[in-house]
Amino acid sequence: MKINKTIKKVLLTGLGIVLLFIAILLFHIITAKPAVYESPNLQVSRIDFKTNIDSVQAKQICSDLRSIKGLTSDSIIVKRNVVVYFHNNTITNSEKVYDELMSKRKYDARRYILPANLANKEVCPIDQNSFSYKLSKKINQFFN
């Protein structure tokens, strides 16, 4: 008899905790605001270097890129022989950024240009006709 009471207490406590977590989750979903992007004109571009970039060169490249108008300072990624950066496409474009970077120092690099067969390809990996995509879109619209 005492075991049944203990099991009931444990189950009720577990159920209470689960209900509390569900309530917290629902509260968070209902009160969360959708992401607001300050700059919808951000574009990603890339410069390929012929040799691997060491840490000293990476700092030098980052400082040169940060001095170019239209790039945000926190959006420069340097790995191996590739530099990826984000820029405001209303202020500058990847060709201008590349030209300005090359005018600052003579880097052995070239601007990455997307091949024509990939230019018109859809980049979203999700099948937009699938049930799960449509369901998640409806739920997102409901809460936003």
Side-chain angles (χ1 to χ4, degrees), residues 83-144:
V83 175
V84 177
Y85 58 91
F86 293 84
H87 57 89
N88 187 332
N89 63 10
T90 59
I91 298 172
T92 188
N93 61 33
S94 62
E95 190 173 354
K96 287 179 187 176
V97 171
Y98 174 78
D99 291 340
E100 278 191 53
L101 182 66
M102 292 303 127
S103 69
K104 293 182 186 296
R105 288 187 176 80
K106 285 292 178 193
Y107 293 111
D108 189 15
R110 63 181 168 81
R111 185 171 66 103
Y112 178 77
I113 300 172
L114 195 64
N117 62 341
L118 295 176
N120 294 325
K121 216 171 194 188
E122 230 179 87
V123 294
C124 184
I126 298 174
D127 179 18
Q128 295 182 358
N129 294 322
S130 69
F131 174 74
S132 60
Y133 175 78
K134 290 177 181 177
L135 178 67
S136 64
K137 189 174 179 184
K138 292 284 184 197
I139 291 171
N140 195 14
Q141 286 175 344
F142 176 76
F143 286 114
N144 291 333

Side-chain angles (χ1 to χ4, degrees), residues 1-16:
M1 195 75 166
K2 198 169 189 174
I3 295 175
N4 282 343
K5 286 184 178 181
T6 307
I7 292 175
K8 279 185 182 179
K9 284 182 181 180
V10 168
L11 288 176
L12 284 175
T13 304
L15 181 65

